[in-house]
Amino acid sequence: MGNRSTLFVGLDVHKESIAVAHVSEDLRAEAVFVGNIGPGRGEIDKLVRRLQSKGVEPVFAYEAGPCGYELYRHLTGKGLACMVVAPSLIPKKAGDKVKTDRRDAVQLARMLRSGDLTPVHVPKVEDESIRDLCRAREDAMKDVKAARQRLKSFLLRHGIAYPGRAAMISDQEAWVARVTCATPVQQRVFQEYVYAASHQTERLAGLEEELADQAKSWRLYPMVEALQALRGVKTTVAITMAAEVGDLTRFDNPRQLTAYLGLIPSEYSSGESRHQGSITKTGNSHARRVLIEGAWAYRYQARVSRVIQKRQETLSPAVREIAWKAQVRLCKRYRKLTGRGKHSNVAVTAVARELACFMWAIAREVGPVA
């Protein structure tokens, strides 16, 4: 086994087919396009046996995409090396305007050999299930907003507008129950919109309850509890961060974490000139969104409310100290940036970047998760 040479295999994976190409470790060798195979596990096993029969040890790579990580888990489960590649970080020639499955597979094989591919973090099955639940909740939240907007738009078209505060949901529901439309047809349409809004709200509540229950038996739950020591990081934010990013201690330093989240500024420097622009927005958009939502809590003066005290009761003094340092620094940071004339969105994004660093510090205090 130790005398076997390495064969680098590029897979361009689609729902109905997989394009296969490989190249040997000899830098002078040209890549060979094998052809297309089916996506079934039997076809994959047949390909592996054919490659291993040549006396080589295959190493596979394919782009992250809608087909997920099942192929990766199947190959690694057989003891084979496999890499899931970040599509946005694959080097591309500016003048190359031709894209085919064959060229993509050949390119993956070549770049796998040269070491120019960037792998993505593949979550464990248990972690992915919690992440799917988080994303289902996020989709349900969007559906709730859309259903309520349709209801408001319908009423506004007929000159009916809610006179109270938009934040008072219970008062809105009582007011909606008293609304009467001009015709029976319009009343039927109105009731359909009301039913859709209430149904989506119940669906969201059910998903949030399920998420909270499932997280309690999750291997990352100790980190989730510790992250809630921070202001603006409630249960949903903490679970989403852990589900989308995984164990935060897998990053060697907080700069790697903020780069992964796309919260670092873009830069274009040449010679003596240096220009920094907006954040890169690369990496995980779901984690970045909840971080920025949590960062809005630092607009106000630093204080440990009764709610935060309750969340910190079972946590170590070191974690509570980090959380207080975060409050003092980030509240001051927001006021300083806005005082210099920065837009509130820019200031909150800067606060979110540093909030991620404090999360990393708390995760390190909790320790790596097996």
Side-chain angles (χ1 to χ4, degrees):
M1 196 76 163
N3 296 327
R4 284 189 166 191
S5 62
T6 303
L7 189 69
F8 300 96
V9 185
L11 305 175
D12 190 40
V13 180
H14 298 279
K15 180 178 68 174
E16 297 179 352
S17 66
I18 300 176
V20 183
H22 60 69
V23 64
S24 69
E25 59 185 356
D26 185 359
L27 297 179
R28 296 169 297 180
E30 291 293 328
V32 177
F33 178 66
V34 177
N36 292 334
I37 64 173
R41 298 297 170 256
E43 293 284 336
I44 297 295
D45 293 342
K46 184 178 178 181
L47 172 67
V48 171
R49 289 194 298 268
R50 190 187 348 168
L51 296 175
Q52 289 179 333
S53 66
K54 299 178 181 181
V56 298
E57 191 63 28
V59 176
F60 297 88
Y62 69 95
E63 294 182 32
C67 293
Y69 306 114
E70 292 305 315
L71 177 57
Y72 169 88
R73 294 184 179 123
H74 179 73
L75 290 172
T76 54
K78 298 173 70 67
L80 298 168
C82 183
M83 178 190 296
V84 184
V85 181
S88 61
L89 299 179
I90 296 177
K92 290 181 174 60
K93 296 179 181 178
D96 191 359
K97 302 298 182 182
V98 179
K99 182 188 182 303
T100 64
D101 294 348
R102 174 173 182 158
R103 290 171 70 104
D104 288 346
V106 168
Q107 183 186 36
L108 282 172
R110 287 174 178 165
M111 291 187 175
L112 180 61
R113 179 179 64 179
S114 63
D116 291 330
L117 296 177
T118 304
V120 301
H121 171 66
V122 179
K124 295 184 177 181
V125 176
E126 178 191 7
D127 299 346
E128 190 176 19
S129 65
I130 298 294
R131 190 183 70 176
D132 289 338
L133 193 54
C134 285
R135 293 187 180 182
R137 176 202 163 273
E138 186 176 334
D139 292 337
M141 187 170 58
K142 293 177 182 177
D143 293 339
V144 168
K145 290 181 179 179
R148 288 177 177 172
Q149 183 59 42
R150 293 188 193 104
L151 175 59
K152 292 177 182 178
S153 299
F154 172 81
L155 293 174
L156 191 59
R157 287 199 305 270
H158 297 283
I160 305 173
Y162 177 61
R165 293 173 56 191
M168 305 299 291
I169 302 297
S170 58
D171 291 348
Q172 280 188 6
E173 292 174 350
W175 174 79
V176 165
R178 298 192 299 268
V179 170
T180 302
C181 297
T183 68
V185 174
Q186 290 173 337
Q187 188 68 27
R188 170 62 188 275
V189 174
F190 168 68
Q191 293 299 334
E192 288 292 336
Y193 282 132
V194 171
Y195 171 77
S198 61
H199 171 70
Q200 295 297 344
T201 303
E202 292 173 2
R203 176 169 158 252
L204 175 61
L207 285 170
E208 288 179 340
E209 183 179 354
E210 180 71 15
L211 182 61
D213 290 341
Q214 293 295 330
K216 292 177 181 177
S217 58
W218 188 24
R219 70 184 186 94
L220 293 177
Y221 191 65
M223 186 179 73
V224 169
E225 283 189 307
L227 291 180
Q228 292 180 66
L230 292 163
R231 185 178 187 174
V233 183
K234 295 183 180 179
T235 306
T236 303
V237 176
I239 294 176
T240 302
M241 274 294 296
E244 295 292 344
V245 182
D247 186 2
L248 301 185
T249 59
R250 68 186 178 89
F251 297 97
D252 295 332
N253 54 68
R255 289 184 179 180
Q256 291 182 357
L257 175 59
T258 54
Y260 173 81
L261 295 170
L263 288 171
I264 60 173
S266 57
E267 182 174 342
Y268 182 84
S269 300
S270 179
E272 297 180 357
S273 66
R274 182 170 182 261
H275 174 73
Q276 287 187 311
S278 59
I279 59 173
T280 59
K281 293 186 179 180
T282 58
N284 196 295
S285 60
H286 302 276
R288 184 170 61 251
R289 179 188 62 80
V290 296
L291 257 181
I292 291 177
E293 283 186 2
W296 282 102
Y298 294 92
R299 292 173 293 169
Y300 310 107
Q301 194 73 23
R303 60 182 290 268
V304 180
S305 65
R306 178 59 192 147
V307 175
I308 297 177
Q309 284 180 350
K310 189 174 182 181
R311 297 206 302 254
Q312 294 180 351
E313 284 177 354
T314 59
L315 301 178
S316 67
V319 171
R320 293 200 296 267
E321 183 180 356
I322 293 173
W324 175 244
K325 286 181 179 178
Q327 275 220 56
V328 173
R329 176 176 173 82
L330 298 183
C331 292
K332 182 179 178 181
R333 175 76 167 154
Y334 179 85
R335 293 196 304 272
K336 183 178 180 180
L337 289 173
T338 53
R340 286 165 46 190
K342 295 291 185 181
H343 193 279
S344 58
N345 290 343
V346 176
V348 165
T349 302
V351 169
R353 178 166 56 249
E354 296 195 20
L355 178 60
C357 299
F358 282 106
M359 285 185 171
W360 179 86
I362 287 178
R364 294 273 292 191
E365 192 65 37
V366 174
V369 183

